[in-house]
Amino acid sequence: MPGRKPKAAGAMSQRVQESSEQFKTSFREEAREILTELESSLLELHENRDDHDLIGRIFRGLHTIKGSGAMFGFERLAAFTHDLETAFDLVRSGRLEVSPEMIDVTLAALDQISAMVEEGTEGAAQPDVTACAGILSAVRRLASIEDEAKPAKMAEPAPDRAVDPAAAMQNWQIRFAPGPDLMRYGAKPSLLIGELRQLGYASVRSVFDAVPLLAEIDPERCYLSWEIDLLTAAGREAIRDVFIFVEDTCELSIEPSGSSMEPAAGPAPAIAVAQPPCESEITARALAEKRSGSGGRRTYDKPENVSSLRVPAAKLDQFVDLVGEMVTVQARLSELAGRRDDAEMISVSEEIERLTSALRESSMNIRMMPIRATFEKFRRLVHDLARDLGKDVELIMEGTDTELDKTVIEQLGDPLMHLIRNSMDHGIGSREDRAARGKPTVATIHLSARYSGASVLVTVSDDGRGIDCDAVRARAIEKGLISAEAQLTKNQIFALLFEPGFSTAKQVTDVSGRGVGMDVVRQRVESLRGTVEVESKPGQGTSVTLRLPLTMAIIDGLLVGVGDACFVLPLACTLECIELTRDDIARANGKHLVNVRGELVPYIRLREHFRLQSSPPAIEQVMLVETSEGRCGFVVDQVLGNCQTVIKSLGRFYRQVQIVSGATILGNGSVALILDPERLIQDALREEMHGRGVLREQTRGSQENNADFTALAGKGSAGPSASARM
């Protein structure tokens, strides 16, 4: 029918557009990683300006961004990056020195390149045209580049541009077979081959083995491949960088051929390009392949075995949620099997439990990410703040390979940013101040991460002035947070720093002084079920440690019972369980203390703290836990055993209940609340301090929270209907 062709053409055009957008999305993801590495390398170069490896890494990153940007339709990005690449090519060849101004200009350029990469995505900021022009002008002035209009497309540099004349040359054999849909996505093999020629002297041969009969050719499909002999001083990784954005969808092999050699004087070798065969040769070859059953297919037409996959975070979250549901169902199966005297059912239940445990561990490992990328972001922050504040500061990072749950890492950026800003503004003094105190003029901020049991300790420390406890106390009295007669310990004084609106700064600046930074740190860390610890010595520096859980989805818990209610204590912080008899209580003379091998340990009676209406048994159990306040005990009626706990949020109605970190559904369908030992102890300490009149209005709402908690705890054995209210 006459209308079919336009309809088919429209569908094909839409399909091509969708494929192009898919490749652009892939380019953006890869470009973000390259830009992050570029920023980190530039800041390292600021400290080590003669590091040729860093210079080469920066040049290759800019070269990849420019070439791949032009390939996927980001012409403005490619044109903007061209002069930067030229400048670092001059640095690499020794004709231009690295200066602080050049570092600052390049960092500003990366900000604009990042905006160009995100251009066209939802909510993305537009590149600043005026800023771009100023950056290009500064780059051309520093590199003595002629200020002329640049074409929109990528400019082709000289063939020997990337070749170091003093380096040994190496022969490489490269086989490049692009995927069949390469050109549908807007990629151009000719540009890739052109980039290879920039690395040295190339001999290119086209391979037509996969070309089918003329009647079977799809005009949008790529059937050609290329074999390239490359003589270059570049290494394997530099060659692979040329194909960085298409490597996952093509066949690529890069192998050395022969020994290295010094470049000979004289004209460059001629570049030989194989002539394509005539149509009869193509047809004969295609017929032979058709008879042999190959059909002109290459290995990439079949499913590939790849070493890694890029998976959207939403799919990963959905997968972990399904694993959590499976853990809940497995708990129900185990309980049903325990009720019945059926050996076969018990055997199946145990096997399901083993498989579920392995699946749970695997899913948790998939969610784990190294903290390196989060730490690297703060190199730029320290560099910019040091420049703005007129201070010399060095950032030292340790434990960057420490892994945390991706949810924790995503929420960790703001607290660390506020801590570093406070260290830069309040903790570290000026050059003159540090010299007067006998300290090096270059200050140090130490950012570290390490494991501690089932937690990760992230620490921000500096070698600055330290915290003046008298100034903090005076400021707290001035703001009415404490009375003038209050006697506070050092830790209680440090806790005042996290009160909303509290600041010791005399003036509000662009960096700090509004009293919101440390409050944000506390709120964000507590929302992650973590704690904040502060240590400081006047004149020596301050250290702030964030204790964070490894995971936020599924934890190992200890199920305990108090009356009709069930609770879960995190197994990671639980030390041991001891008995508490009536005689033990009588010997303590009404004090909530228990003797543990000669050490008096305080405890909290959960029945009294939550106002549960039930009678205690003759022998109670004390669960000893380790917290930032030291060892403490929680008195319960009985210990029901270990359980894999899938953490569920309580919903908005109970958002003010701070002493629980969530809830879980047990095997019998009932709900058990997951207690937060740190917050329970802090809540008890606040009530005690409030009773002495030390803090004013600091614990307002705690009684309401406990009342809400008591009502919720009473629903712990409500059966399946309770889970419907989650």
Side-chain angles (χ1 to χ4, degrees):
M1 295 177 63
R4 284 185 178 177
K5 286 186 178 180
K7 184 176 181 181
M12 182 177 296
S13 174
Q14 182 179 359
R15 190 165 60 251
V16 170
Q17 184 176 359
E18 291 175 354
S19 299
S20 177
E21 288 301 319
Q22 180 182 354
F23 241 69
K24 284 185 177 182
T25 300
S26 178
F27 166 75
R28 289 188 177 101
E29 292 173 353
E30 297 287 350
R32 293 183 193 115
E33 296 178 4
I34 295 175
L35 287 170
T36 300
E37 184 178 350
L38 276 172
E39 185 174 280
S40 176
S41 299
L42 279 167
L43 294 171
E44 288 185 39
L45 186 64
H46 182 65
E47 306 295 333
N48 306 285
R49 297 180 188 173
D50 295 328
D51 192 324
H52 295 287
D53 289 339
L54 285 174
I55 294 170
R57 194 187 310 166
I58 293 168
F59 172 79
R60 288 194 299 271
L62 292 171
H63 181 72
T64 302
I65 287 284
K66 184 196 76 170
S68 301
M71 183 186 304
F72 297 115
F74 293 82
E75 287 86 1
R76 183 162 61 157
L77 181 151
F80 179 76
T81 313
H82 175 74
D83 285 337
L84 281 173
E85 182 194 21
T86 302
F88 274 91
D89 190 25
L90 295 174
V91 172
R92 191 176 57 157
S93 62
R95 289 177 286 173
L96 180 65
E97 292 185 357
V98 177
S99 64
E101 183 183 2
M102 185 174 184
I103 296 290
D104 290 338
V105 169
T106 308
L107 287 171
L110 292 186
D111 293 337
Q112 298 303 322
I113 292 174
S114 179
M116 293 178 187
V117 168
E118 303 298 336
E119 195 172 9
T121 60
E122 184 177 356
Q126 295 296 318
D128 189 332
V129 178
T130 304
C132 288
I135 291 169
L136 286 179
S137 177
V139 170
R140 291 167 184 165
R141 174 176 52 81
L142 290 170
S144 300
I145 301 173
E146 293 184 5
D147 191 3
E148 58 183 6
K150 300 291 179 183
K153 294 188 178 181
M154 178 182 63
E156 293 290 346
D160 63 343
R161 174 178 176 179
V163 178
D164 183 357
M169 307 292 280
Q170 171 74 49
N171 281 311
W172 296 89
Q173 287 187 342
I174 304 167
R175 183 176 185 276
F176 170 51
D181 296 326
L182 183 77
M183 292 187 293
R184 290 178 179 173
Y185 299 146
K188 300 176 182 178
S190 59
L191 290 178
L192 297 174
I193 296 174
E195 285 193 57
L196 285 178
R197 287 198 175 103
Q198 297 173 27
L199 298 179
Y201 311 113
S203 173
V204 183
R205 294 178 298 278
S206 301
V207 179
F208 297 83
D209 293 346
V211 178
L213 294 173
L214 187 60
E216 299 176 1
I217 288 180
D218 181 352
E220 294 184 345
R221 183 167 178 169
C222 181
Y223 298 96
L224 298 180
S225 60
W226 289 267
E227 294 178 352
I228 305 158
D229 292 329
L230 179 65
L231 178 63
T232 179
R236 186 193 301 269
E237 292 306 315
I239 299 172
R240 187 176 296 277
D241 284 345
V242 172
F243 303 94
I244 187 172
F245 291 101
V246 297
E247 187 175 0
D248 292 340
T249 59
C250 74
E251 287 182 4
L252 178 66
S253 66
I254 305 170
E255 300 296 337
S257 173
S259 59
S260 60
M261 56 179 288
E262 296 296 329
I271 298 177
V273 181
Q275 296 298 323
C278 62
E279 183 177 352
S280 60
E281 292 177 344
I282 298 176
T283 305
R285 189 176 296 136
L287 284 172
E289 290 178 350
K290 194 174 185 70
R291 288 174 187 145
S292 64
S294 65
R297 293 172 62 89
R298 294 197 292 261
T299 55
Y300 53 67
D301 290 323
K302 302 174 184 178
E304 285 189 14
N305 293 323
V306 294
S307 59
S308 62
L309 292 173
R310 190 183 297 274
V311 180
K315 289 186 178 180
L316 181 59
D317 292 338
Q318 184 182 17
F319 170 65
V320 174
D321 289 342
L322 292 174
V323 172
E325 297 297 330
M326 189 173 180
V327 169
T328 301
V329 173
Q330 178 269 320
R332 294 187 61 186
L333 177 61
S334 297
E335 183 165 334
L336 289 174
R339 293 178 188 173
R340 302 181 182 182
D341 189 13
D342 187 337
E344 185 176 359
M345 185 174 183
I346 292 175
S347 176
V348 172
S349 173
E350 291 175 349
E351 185 67 15
I352 294 292
E353 183 176 359
R354 182 185 68 82
L355 294 174
T356 303
S357 178
L359 183 60
R360 169 204 169 220
E361 291 298 326
S362 296
S363 64
M364 291 298 100
N365 289 336
I366 292 174
R367 287 173 63 98
M368 303 299 282
M369 297 172 56
I371 203 170
R372 179 186 302 275
T374 301
F375 278 10
E376 289 290 348
K377 294 177 182 177
F378 298 112
R379 286 187 183 275
R380 176 73 178 278
L381 176 65
V382 171
H383 174 271
D384 291 347
L385 285 177
R387 179 194 59 203
D388 296 341
L389 297 173
K391 300 176 180 179
D392 294 329
V393 184
E394 179 184 6
L395 177 65
I396 299 176
M397 298 186 295
E398 184 180 350
T400 55
D401 292 331
T402 305
E403 293 186 336
L404 283 84
D405 189 294
K406 77 176 191 66
T407 305
V408 177
I409 287 183
E410 289 169 356
Q411 301 295 321
L412 197 56
D414 283 349
L416 291 179
M417 179 191 69
H418 288 297
L419 291 176
I420 291 175
R421 290 168 70 93
N422 270 358
S423 291
M424 295 283 293
D425 196 27
H426 295 300
I428 296 174
S430 63
R431 301 184 185 96
E432 296 77 12
D433 179 69
R434 291 181 62 86
R437 295 173 182 267
K439 291 188 174 185
T441 56
V442 179
T444 300
I445 290 181
H446 196 267
L447 189 58
S448 66
R450 62 183 178 89
Y451 293 110
S452 176
S455 301
V456 171
L457 304 183
V458 180
T459 303
V460 179
S461 58
D462 62 64
D463 62 347
R465 305 186 185 99
I467 297 175
D468 187 343
C469 292
D470 293 336
V472 173
R473 188 177 185 278
R475 186 68 169 174
I477 294 173
E478 179 185 339
K479 295 182 71 68
L481 293 175
I482 60 173
S483 63
E485 298 79 18
Q487 300 297 320
L488 303 183
T489 65
K490 182 180 290 187
N491 287 337
Q492 290 170 344
I493 291 176
F494 291 160
L496 294 170
L497 297 172
F498 298 93
E499 289 300 307
F502 185 88
S503 176
T504 57
K506 301 298 183 181
Q507 295 179 347
V508 175
T509 67
D510 293 337
V511 180
S512 61
R514 300 184 184 275
V516 295
M518 300 301 282
D519 181 35
V520 170
V521 172
R522 184 192 64 181
Q523 291 182 2
R524 187 62 58 86
V525 172
E526 287 183 353
S527 70
L528 294 172
R529 304 197 313 275
T531 59
V532 185
E533 303 169 11
V534 181
E535 294 182 5
S536 182
K537 294 182 179 180
Q540 297 185 26
T542 303
S543 176
V544 181
T545 300
L546 311 182
R547 182 180 292 270
L548 301 163
L550 277 174
T551 180
M552 297 284 293
I554 303 175
I555 63 171
D556 288 319
L558 194 64
L559 189 64
V560 299
V562 181
D564 295 331
C566 291
F567 304 98
V568 174
L569 286 170
L571 192 60
C573 63
T574 304
L575 299 176
E576 59 181 314
C577 175
I578 62 175
E579 291 184 348
L580 181 67
T581 64
R582 301 287 173 85
D583 293 338
D584 296 328
I585 297 174
R587 282 194 294 269
N589 297 321
K591 302 292 184 181
H592 285 188
L593 296 170
V594 62
N595 191 329
V596 182
R597 294 181 291 277
E599 178 186 358
L600 292 179
V601 178
Y603 62 78
I604 299 172
R605 301 182 66 88
L606 295 184
R607 175 179 282 100
E608 296 175 1
H609 195 73
F610 299 147
R611 301 179 180 87
L612 300 178
Q613 303 299 321
S614 60
S615 300
I619 299 178
E620 298 174 280
Q621 307 294 323
V622 181
M623 303 302 305
L624 296 182
V625 299
E626 185 69 40
T627 68
S628 59
E629 300 291 339
R631 290 206 296 174
C632 184
F634 297 104
V635 179
V636 301
D637 292 353
Q638 56 183 334
V639 179
L640 303 176
N642 295 348
C643 63
Q644 289 187 358
T645 305
V646 181
I647 303 173
K648 302 287 186 180
S649 61
L650 294 176
R652 291 181 299 172
F653 184 73
Y654 295 106
R655 65 181 180 273
Q656 298 299 328
V657 181
Q658 300 295 321
I659 51 182
V660 294
S661 53
T664 189
I665 303 174
L666 302 178
N668 61 3
S670 63
V671 177
L673 300 175
I674 304 170
L675 302 181
D676 188 329
E678 292 280 354
R679 292 186 180 182
L680 266 173
I681 293 172
Q682 291 171 8
D683 187 68
L685 290 174
R686 288 192 190 104
E687 286 188 351
E688 182 183 2
M689 294 170 66
H690 182 67
R692 294 176 183 174
V694 177
L695 295 181
R696 297 181 178 180
E697 304 297 330
Q698 186 172 345
T699 57
R700 176 178 293 177
S702 64
Q703 293 183 355
E704 290 84 345
N705 291 349
N706 280 340
D708 288 342
F709 183 87
T710 303
L712 185 59
K715 301 173 184 177
S717 58
S721 60
S723 63
R725 290 190 290 269
M726 294 290 291

